[in-house]
Structure formats: C-alpha cells, structure tokens
C-alpha cells in the first residue's frame, strides 16, 4: 500500500515522467478511495493548466527592462559594434 | 489566411506584401511592419535595433529563469554581444527573435550549470521538506489536507489570479524555482534539468513535486482562502 505522501508525489510526477503500470494502478485505486488525495491531484492538474496559460501570456507582457539597464546595454553594444572584428 | 513575403528596408521596418494563400502569385495588399513580426527572416536587421525590438522579451525570458533582475540584465547583454559576434552564422529559417532567444538560453543554462556545481545540493532533496512535514503525519497520511477551492475555473478568467500565481512562483526557493521554470516554461525533460542543476532526474522529480506543493499552498492562502476542508 502506498501512503498519501507517496501518492501526492505521484500526483506530481505523472506530469514529468511516464508512470509504470503498477504505479498507475496504485494511484488510481488510492484516489478512488481517498478524497484528500483526489482533491490534491485535481488541484495540481488545475495548477498545470493555469501555468500553461501564464506561460503563453508571459511571452507578450510582464516585467520590462529598466531604462538604466537598457541604456547601459545599448552603450555596451555600441562599443562592441565599433570594435573591429 | 495569407502568406507574406518580406522586403527588408533600411529603416529596420519592412514592407510585407500580403499574398493570397490560395494563389500566391496574387498580391492582395501590403502592410508596413516592424521587424518583430514572427515571419521567417532571411537576414538579420541592424543589431542596433535588437535591444529596442526584443529587449523586453529577452529580459522576461532571462528573469523567469535566473530570478534576479541584475543577473537577468547581464544575461541579456551577454547574449546580445554573443549574437553580434555570431551574426554571420545566422542562416535564416527561424525568426530573429527565436535566434536571439536561443543564444540567451545557452547563456542562461551555462550560468545555472556553473551555479549548480557550486550549490549546496542536500537542501534541495533532503528527505524531509518543511511543507511536506506540515501536510503529512509521520505515517505518511494527511494531517493538514488540501483545502476546498471555490470556483477555480472562474479564477482562470481573472488577471489578478495570474499575478498571484506569478508571485507564488517567485516565492519558491531559488533552485526549486529554477527547476520549475525549466520544466513548465521551457519544457525541458527531467534528465536535462538534472544536468543543468547538477542533480539526478529522480531528484528533479522530487524538486518539482515540492515546487508544485508550495505553489498550491501559496494559491490556497493568497487566492482561494482557507476554505473548509
């Protein structure tokens, strides 16, 4: 029997690797009977969907380079461009 | 849908002829667009315009992975300098932004690798994690189970929820956060993340599990409230 802590690990690892047949069976049986683990697994699945959306949104909005950093990098690039290669 | 052909101009902007998708020999219009468009480029634009066009996107990419503004700024600078050196090797076939992001990604992985070799590894994958200890009794059964969440689907429609989520990710301990970003935002496999951070795949899975547990817990406190069990 796997305990809830081990099941919580599987609830995460199923997103990172393919679980073995035995692991899949144990996971399914356990969440069928244990509502705490069922809820935890469902919330991790929700989290994954939310992260997907965040990653997509992040490509176009979010933090920006500060004006100082931008100016500093521009100066540095300028120097490098003028150096004979 | 239309196919587009590009004619670079000296100004860094370009005229894009919009061709009919059905009959590519027919032009149905033309638009002027900045170089940031995602159409394939044959040649690079003036390096002086890179910072203006891609600076913010590259910075966001670096910040997400390095999690430190000044290190992220340095990484952007290093990547642009490297791109400048390597600009003759650009072969087209990808967008300028993809090419620059690829160079930045290599710079960041190098940094993380160097850091991974130096880092204290025990803390990442110690047998016991403080949050795990809070959630589970010694027997491995729940002592503080996950709370009930009210309307998670509704949360996905709210911008503030995603701002909260970003904060929760930012609050992860450094290496858990790096592992999490490499996995969920870069789509790297466990083995690649392990190589980068200097741990085994198995340790990566443990780290990801702990990262998710923390984010879940953070969302429960900052968004869903401590609802009834």
């Amino acid at each position: 029997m796997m305990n809830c802590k081990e099941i919580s690990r599987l609830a995460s690892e199923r997103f990172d690797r393919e679980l073995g047949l035995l692991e899949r069976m144990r996971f399914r049986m356990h969440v069928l009977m244990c509502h705490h683990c069922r809820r935890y697994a469902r919330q991790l699945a929700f989290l994954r969907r939310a992260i997907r959306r965040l990653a997509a949104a992040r490509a176009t909005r979010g933090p920006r380079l500060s004006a100082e950093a931008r100016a500093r990098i521009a100066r540095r690039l300028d120097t490098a461009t003028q150096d004979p290669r | 849908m239309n196919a587009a052909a590009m004619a670079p101009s000296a100004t860094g902007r370009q005229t894009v002829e919009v061709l009919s998708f059905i009959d590519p020999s027919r032009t149905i219009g033309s638009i002027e667009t900045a170089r940031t468009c995602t159409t394939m480029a044959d040649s690079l634009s003036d390096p002086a315009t890179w910072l203006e066009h891609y600076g913010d996107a590259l910075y966001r990419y670096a910040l997400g992975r390095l999690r430190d503004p000044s290190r992220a700024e340095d990484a952007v600078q290093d990547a642009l300098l490297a791109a400048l050196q390597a600009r003759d090797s650009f072969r087209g076939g990808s967008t300028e932004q993809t090419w620059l992001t690829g160079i930045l990604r290599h710079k960041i992985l190098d940094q993380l690798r160097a850091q991974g070799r130096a880092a204290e590894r025990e803390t990442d994958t110690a047998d016991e994690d403080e949050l795990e200890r809070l959630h589970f009794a010694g027997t491995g059964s729940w002592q503080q189970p996950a709370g009930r969440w009210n309307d998670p689907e509704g949360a996905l429609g709210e911008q503030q929820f995603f701002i909260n989520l970003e904060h929760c990710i930012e609050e992860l301990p450094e290496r858990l956060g790096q592992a999490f970003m490499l996995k969920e935002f870069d789509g790297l496999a466990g083995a690649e993340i392990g190589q980068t951070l200097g741990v085994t795949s198995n340790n990566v899975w443990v780290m990801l599990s702990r990262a998710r547990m923390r984010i879940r817990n953070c969302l429960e406190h900052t968004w869903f409230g401590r609802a009834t069990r």
Side-chain angles (χ1 to χ4, degrees):
Chain A
M1 250 327 248
M2 289 180 95
N3 64 36
C4 294
K5 189 175 168 184
E6 290 163 329
I7 293 297
S8 79
R9 190 67 61 73
L10 288 188
S12 168
E13 287 191 13
R14 69 200 173 119
F15 299 125
D16 306 322
R17 65 180 176 94
E18 195 164 342
L19 301 186
L21 183 62
L22 203 59
E23 286 176 317
R24 283 206 303 276
M25 277 168 51
R26 283 177 173 157
F27 179 75
R28 270 189 216 159
M29 287 296 289
H30 186 107
V31 296
L32 215 57
M33 297 180 301
C34 171
H35 74 280
H36 289 324
C37 284
R38 192 159 61 239
R39 179 184 288 167
Y40 183 81
R42 205 167 47 220
Q43 290 177 347
L44 285 201
F46 166 82
L47 176 63
R48 189 168 169 82
R49 281 203 293 143
I51 293 289
R52 283 281 147 87
R53 293 208 193 178
L54 179 64
R58 181 104 184 211
T60 54
R61 57 151 200 93
R64 304 166 67 98
L65 264 178
S66 69
E68 302 85 67
R70 191 176 278 274
R72 194 174 62 237
I73 296 171
R75 272 198 307 277
R76 185 71 189 81
L77 282 174
D78 213 36
T79 320
T81 315
Q82 280 156 17
D83 283 346
R85 283 197 293 155
Chain B
M1 251 181 87
N2 296 301
M6 309 208 315
S9 73
T11 58
R13 296 181 73 78
Q14 61 206 351
T15 308
V16 175
E17 290 194 325
V18 182
L19 307 177
S20 163
F21 193 68
I22 300 160
D23 175 9
S25 64
R26 204 163 62 88
T27 306
I28 56 175
S30 79
I31 42 171
E32 202 188 318
T33 167
R35 266 280 182 184
T36 46
C37 75
T38 51
T39 322
M40 303 256 237
D42 295 327
S43 59
L44 292 169
S45 62
D46 183 352
T49 66
W50 291 349
L51 187 59
E52 178 194 337
H53 288 148
Y54 312 115
D56 288 332
L58 294 174
Y59 175 67
R60 275 195 289 276
Y61 184 93
L63 186 63
R65 280 124 194 109
L66 294 169
R67 305 160 59 78
D68 175 82
S70 72
R71 284 176 63 198
E73 289 164 5
D74 289 347
V76 171
Q77 175 170 305
D78 288 351
L80 289 176
L81 288 170
L84 201 62
Q85 292 290 317
R87 67 185 185 276
D88 295 336
S89 68
F90 181 75
R91 291 278 170 267
S94 72
T95 69
E96 204 165 74
Q97 183 166 357
T98 307
W99 182 69
L100 290 170
T101 307
I103 294 172
L104 177 61
R105 178 165 173 263
H106 279 293
K107 291 277 169 202
I108 291 172
L109 290 181
D110 284 346
Q111 266 207 47
L112 292 177
R113 235 173 258 134
Q115 196 188 320
R117 279 193 294 270
E120 291 260 345
R121 280 162 213 175
E122 300 115 66
T123 51
D124 299 331
T125 49
D127 285 345
E128 274 298 333
D129 174 87
E130 52 183 300
L131 189 55
E132 283 179 349
R133 208 156 39 223
L134 202 69
H135 272 313
F136 298 104
T139 55
S141 42
W142 293 99
Q143 63 182 357
Q144 192 184 337
R148 192 197 308 278
W149 287 0
N150 187 32
D151 193 20
E153 291 307 314
L156 289 179
E158 297 199 41
Q159 202 183 348
Q160 186 59 42
F161 171 76
F162 288 98
I163 294 171
N164 261 49
L165 178 56
E166 276 189 312
H167 286 316
C168 289
I169 297 171
E170 280 161 21
E171 278 177 18
L172 289 173
E174 189 171 37
R175 289 176 40 91
L176 288 192
Q178 287 165 349
F180 186 77
M181 290 301 293
L182 291 174
K183 165 68 194 177
E184 300 291 15
F185 287 71
D186 284 343
L188 295 193
E192 292 171 284
I193 300 171
Q195 271 168 19
T196 303
L197 299 180
V199 296
T200 64
S201 302
N202 210 34
N203 286 345
V204 170
W205 296 324
V206 173
M207 289 165 78
L208 290 173
S209 169
R210 289 176 180 170
R212 292 184 179 117
M213 185 177 276
R214 278 166 198 265
I215 297 171
R216 195 215 68 83
N217 196 53
C218 172
L219 284 180
E220 187 158 299
H221 283 92
T222 60
W223 185 265
F224 294 106
R226 280 304 290 154
T228 49
R229 305 251 168 90

